Amino acid sequence: MPVALHRVEVAEITRVLDGVADPLERCRAFSALTRINTLYMVMRAGSGHLGSSFSAADLVSHLFLHEMRAPLAEDGDLYFSSKGHDAPGLYAALIGLGALPEEKLHRLRRLGGLPGHPDVHTPHMPFNTGSLGMGVSKAKGVVLADRLAGRSRRIYVVTGDGELQEGQNYEALAGAVRRGMHELTVVVDHNKIQSDTWVEDVNGLGDLEARFAGFGWGVVRCDGHDQQALEAAFRKRWESFPELPAVIVADTVKGGGCAAFAATSMPAAFTDDGTGTPWRYLFHSGAPAPEHYRAAHAQLVAAAEELLARNGLGPLALVAEDPAPERNPGAEKLFEAYGRELTALAARDERILALDADLVLDTGLIPFAQAHPDRFVEFGIAEQDMVSAAGGLASQGLLPFVNSFACFLHSRPYEQIYNNATEGRRIVYTGALAGLLPAAPGHSHQAVRDVAAFSALPGLTVLQPANCAGTRQAVRHCAATDESFYLRLESVEVPARVAALPVAELRTGHGRVVREGGRTVLVGAGPTVLDQLLRAAELLADRGAAPTVVELPWLNRVDADWLAALAAGADHLIVVENHYVRGGQGDAVARTLAELNLPHPPAFRGIGLTEVPRCGTPEEVLRVHGLHFEALAGAVLAQTRGTATAGPLAVAARDRRAEERAEEHHREQTEQHPQQNGAR
């Protein structure tokens, strides 16, 4: 049954703010109203971070309405969120203050709307955040620039508490004290939960006040949901530490301000570990289920109306909007198949361990953690530590599978990954959420440069399966093959036409034809690209120009003999990839093709991303980046114009010439490299 949605108009927010005299009551009212709109935005979008937005809502209200000086002016005090996950709540606040267009309430995580994480192309977003741990350093840079320019303003940055596991934070702290950065105030949204489990159960922060004080920072602690306590904390910050950078440790509740989402609502806001123990917080990301939405909305409206009544204002006016789109549970995803297969393998091979970086749910490792708790290691938001520990494990003959989102795994610990490679350590790196889709979180979470990074490493093979059966096969291959791998997993639901593809033998550098066609050959890997290629082939077939579609799951390995045979039957070879065009599979194929020195090679083209990936729905983003099947069909026709309409005699003649070229090339290679004959 569709869920009826309601929101608060900006005019109504203005009426309430104008009608409340007490400044702290205004902050409370603003928080209550923006929480209603945050919930609306996430439900409309179908995804977003509610828990983090709600825990920070009172902090944001206090900063913008009471603490900061001219926060929306170009030369006023500056605020930004380092954690970035609370973007929906921040957007709701800025819209409520008239700083963003009201129609953007309907466009969270849509192309041309509001990105899933902060982006500098959105007004009042000074930095791109969502990749954790950078905020304090960015703020320091602003302070230094302000001093050079002679500007006098205060800089406020909110961090998450799980975010404080990232080492860059501690690189930043000492320098701020040495330079006397009194302009800088860090507010820790200390809601005690990272992603969907307790910080203390992952990598506890210990005495957080002592940790900051040890670097010389001024420290104040308060209740982050109590406006009077926040006022007192900021007053103490400026009175007690006027010459120092300072941190306010704000104790909050994830999902705070709404009993349905609050992490204090146990076990209602949690799933359990099978023993009745609360384990996973339900509302870190994603839209809530209809019953949770209805309960939360009723609670938020009741809280707002109680506050309005207390201040002598009339009842809250809500605007009814179209129902939220219905979302049905999808089929098994690749990371789920991966987790189950790895769990089963570990039962037979005691060398296998699973290492995780705060993403056990999204990397499919809950079954592994439950079945093999002694061989599951949770490192938290500390990818460098995790990767170097994997090197230590591998040095002792164990086989670590190292897991995170692809966007973080290939970048944060890249020096450590390279170090492991130079030692010849056998490690399997598994990156979930790989590629352009889902595009809703935005570019901080879209891994489209990971193939280039891993491909540059010696002795490491990049493998991308297309469906769940292929994923299970890939896991077994990685465990059985004496080399290191990067297993690239997309987190989208596998399209039906790709899910139905049968498993084929995995031979390094070899692909397989998944749709027979003509002499235009389309090559790709993974569920998104293969689905678009197969759909493009169907469209082209209707126009009498059906191409051949090939799956090549090896993204940095191309067998020369296999490619020579493929090229012999092709006039055009087009590689499409879910990645930037530089450094990806297209480059690997093009290099191998060039090194073959074929006398008449097929015309080559690589298609992929050429700009920073956009945020939006899958349909929107595939279209804007030219990876939608209709755009690909158009690109194929443009590439093959002049040959697609050739008659059957010309086609047959080309076929014969291609066969002769392939045979000639094979003879030349055999004569030049006789020791390789029959080696593959």
Side-chain angles (χ1 to χ4, degrees):
M1 179 179 177
V3 180
L5 301 182
H6 295 81
R7 65 177 180 88
V8 184
E9 286 187 314
V10 172
E12 178 70 354
I13 295 175
T14 302
R15 178 185 77 87
V16 172
L17 294 182
D18 289 346
V20 178
D22 181 81
L24 298 184
E25 274 287 86
R26 293 178 78 241
C27 292
R28 296 184 190 101
F30 191 64
S31 297
L33 300 179
T34 57
R35 281 188 174 101
I36 294 172
N37 281 352
T38 300
L39 177 58
Y40 166 77
M41 294 169 73
V42 170
M43 284 297 291
R44 170 64 59 203
S47 64
H49 294 85
L50 282 169
S52 186
S53 291
F54 278 30
S55 67
D58 297 309
L59 305 175
V60 171
S61 295
H62 190 91
L63 284 164
F64 275 92
L65 271 64
H66 196 59
E67 166 65 16
M68 296 171 68
R69 303 168 302 183
L72 301 177
E74 186 174 350
D75 58 351
D77 289 348
L78 181 68
Y79 168 84
F80 68 96
S81 169
S82 177
K83 61 179 181 173
H85 298 79
D86 56 340
L90 179 54
Y91 295 147
L94 291 170
I95 290 170
L97 294 173
L100 290 175
E102 186 168 7
E103 60 267 20
K104 296 289 187 181
L105 278 171
H106 317 298
R107 302 287 298 172
L108 177 65
R109 298 186 163 212
R110 295 294 303 274
L111 189 69
L114 296 171
H117 290 79
D119 183 275
V120 295
H121 297 95
T122 304
H124 306 291
M125 299 292 142
F127 299 109
N128 295 348
T129 60
S131 184
L132 300 175
M134 302 180 187
V136 179
S137 299
K138 298 266 191 181
K140 286 171 61 181
V142 175
V143 170
L144 292 172
D146 280 354
R147 290 178 176 181
L148 290 171
R151 286 190 296 267
S152 177
R153 60 175 171 171
R154 295 170 177 174
I155 312 300
Y156 298 83
V157 54
V158 164
T159 75
D161 46 7
E163 180 180 12
L164 294 179
Q165 292 166 355
E166 281 285 6
Q168 183 177 346
N169 291 291
Y170 305 102
E171 295 181 16
L173 295 183
V177 173
R178 189 173 73 82
R179 293 177 175 85
M181 291 187 172
H182 56 86
E183 304 96 325
L184 174 56
T185 301
V186 171
V187 182
V188 179
D189 180 9
H190 193 21
N191 63 34
K192 322 297 187 299
I193 292 179
Q194 55 184 93
S195 294
D196 43 24
T197 195
W198 300 101
V199 173
E200 195 62 32
D201 291 341
V202 178
N203 277 335
L205 299 174
D207 187 337
L208 196 52
E209 295 169 77
R211 180 175 292 209
F212 277 90
F215 283 93
W217 281 56
V219 181
V220 183
R221 190 161 194 159
C222 70
D223 182 341
H225 295 302
D226 185 324
Q227 294 295 333
Q228 286 182 313
L230 284 167
E231 182 183 49
F234 281 105
R235 184 186 309 115
K236 182 178 180 181
R237 181 266 180 271
W238 296 114
E239 291 176 353
S240 300
F241 310 107
E243 302 302 322
L244 289 175
V247 60
I248 293 177
V249 179
D251 288 302
T252 60
V253 174
K254 195 151 187 176
C258 177
F261 298 154
T264 51
S265 301
M266 294 192 292
F270 290 78
T271 57
D272 63 58
D273 62 358
T275 66
T277 302
W279 193 39
R280 309 240 71 82
Y281 176 71
L282 293 172
F283 305 109
H284 170 66
S285 64
E291 62 273 19
H292 292 142
Y293 167 78
R294 294 186 186 99
H297 179 73
Q299 292 166 4
L300 293 173
V301 171
E305 289 186 331
E306 189 275 331
L307 200 149
L308 267 62
R310 187 167 72 223
N311 287 274
L313 298 175
L316 179 66
L318 293 171
V319 176
E321 295 289 352
D322 293 337
E326 292 190 69
R327 294 174 176 88
N328 299 315
E332 183 183 33
K333 294 183 178 179
L334 300 190
F335 65 84
E336 294 170 334
Y338 162 80
R340 294 188 179 97
E341 188 64 28
L342 188 63
T343 302
L345 270 180
R348 304 189 295 271
D349 188 344
E350 293 186 353
R351 300 173 306 149
I352 293 176
L353 294 91
L355 282 56
D356 180 63
D358 189 43
L359 291 163
V360 63
L361 178 66
D362 297 301
T363 53
L365 292 176
I366 288 178
F368 193 106
Q370 293 174 334
H372 311 293
D374 57 329
R375 286 184 281 151
F376 172 76
V377 188
E378 178 57 74
F379 284 83
I381 307 170
E383 295 88 355
Q384 294 176 344
D385 181 39
M386 174 177 67
V387 167
S388 288
L393 289 164
S395 75
Q396 301 304 303
L398 298 171
L399 180 55
F401 280 69
V402 179
N403 302 269
S404 186
F405 280 164
C407 54
F408 305 139
L409 182 59
H410 82 278
S411 54
R412 286 282 181 161
Y414 190 66
E415 180 67 14
Q416 288 75 13
I417 292 172
Y418 180 65
N419 179 267
N420 287 341
T422 64
E423 294 176 350
R425 304 304 183 195
R426 184 184 170 203
I427 298 170
V428 179
Y429 302 95
T430 303
L433 201 75
L436 183 63
L437 304 180
H443 53 71
S444 65
H445 287 58
Q446 290 163 294
V448 291
R449 54 198 170 98
D450 52 327
V451 177
F454 276 105
S455 294
L457 299 172
L460 189 145
T461 299
V462 182
L463 177 58
Q464 180 168 11
N467 58 23
C468 291
T471 298
R472 290 187 282 269
Q473 181 191 41
V475 173
R476 295 191 295 270
H477 181 88
C478 292
T481 307
D482 190 18
E483 61 181 285
S484 290
F485 287 90
Y486 171 50
L487 188 55
R488 190 177 198 244
L489 301 180
E490 296 182 34
S491 294
V492 297
E493 182 178 334
V494 180
R497 56 176 54 80
V498 178
L501 293 175
V503 173
E505 178 187 4
L506 278 178
R507 296 178 61 195
T508 302
H510 287 245
R512 56 150 174 179
V513 173
V514 294
R515 180 185 170 105
E516 297 284 354
R519 296 183 58 82
T520 295
V521 178
L522 311 181
V523 178
T528 297
V529 165
L530 283 178
D531 182 56
Q532 297 302 313
L533 291 182
L534 290 169
R535 295 175 72 181
E538 293 168 4
L539 187 61
L540 289 165
D542 292 340
R543 301 179 183 180
T548 296
V549 179
V550 171
E551 178 195 11
L552 179 59
W554 312 94
L555 303 190
N556 68 334
R557 299 283 186 267
V558 184
D559 183 89
D561 289 342
W562 172 82
L563 184 60
L566 184 71
D571 294 322
H572 298 273
L573 184 61
I574 301 174
V575 177
V576 178
E577 54 193 320
N578 194 354
H579 187 270
Y580 284 126
V581 290
R582 294 185 178 180
Q585 185 178 55
D587 281 4
V589 172
R591 182 185 182 93
T592 307
L593 186 65
E595 291 175 346
L596 285 171
N597 292 315
L598 297 174
H600 302 286
F604 177 84
R605 181 178 178 185
I607 298 176
L609 273 73
T610 58
E611 60 182 24
V612 175
R614 304 286 294 276
C615 173
T617 66
E619 178 88 3
E620 290 172 338
V621 172
L622 288 173
R623 285 188 181 279
V624 78
H625 287 291
L627 296 177
H628 188 271
F629 73 93
E630 291 176 348
L632 293 175
V636 169
L637 289 176
Q639 176 79 5
T640 60
R641 188 171 291 121
T643 62
T645 57
L649 292 177
V651 171
R654 278 202 308 272
D655 288 345
R656 288 194 298 273
R657 289 197 300 271
E659 291 170 1
E660 292 166 359
R661 290 197 301 267
E663 290 175 1
E664 180 183 24
H665 173 72
H666 181 72
R667 286 194 300 271
E668 291 173 353
Q669 292 295 101
T670 302
E671 291 169 359
Q672 294 172 14
H673 307 287
Q675 74 277 13
Q676 295 181 6
N677 189 27
R680 290 185 178 87

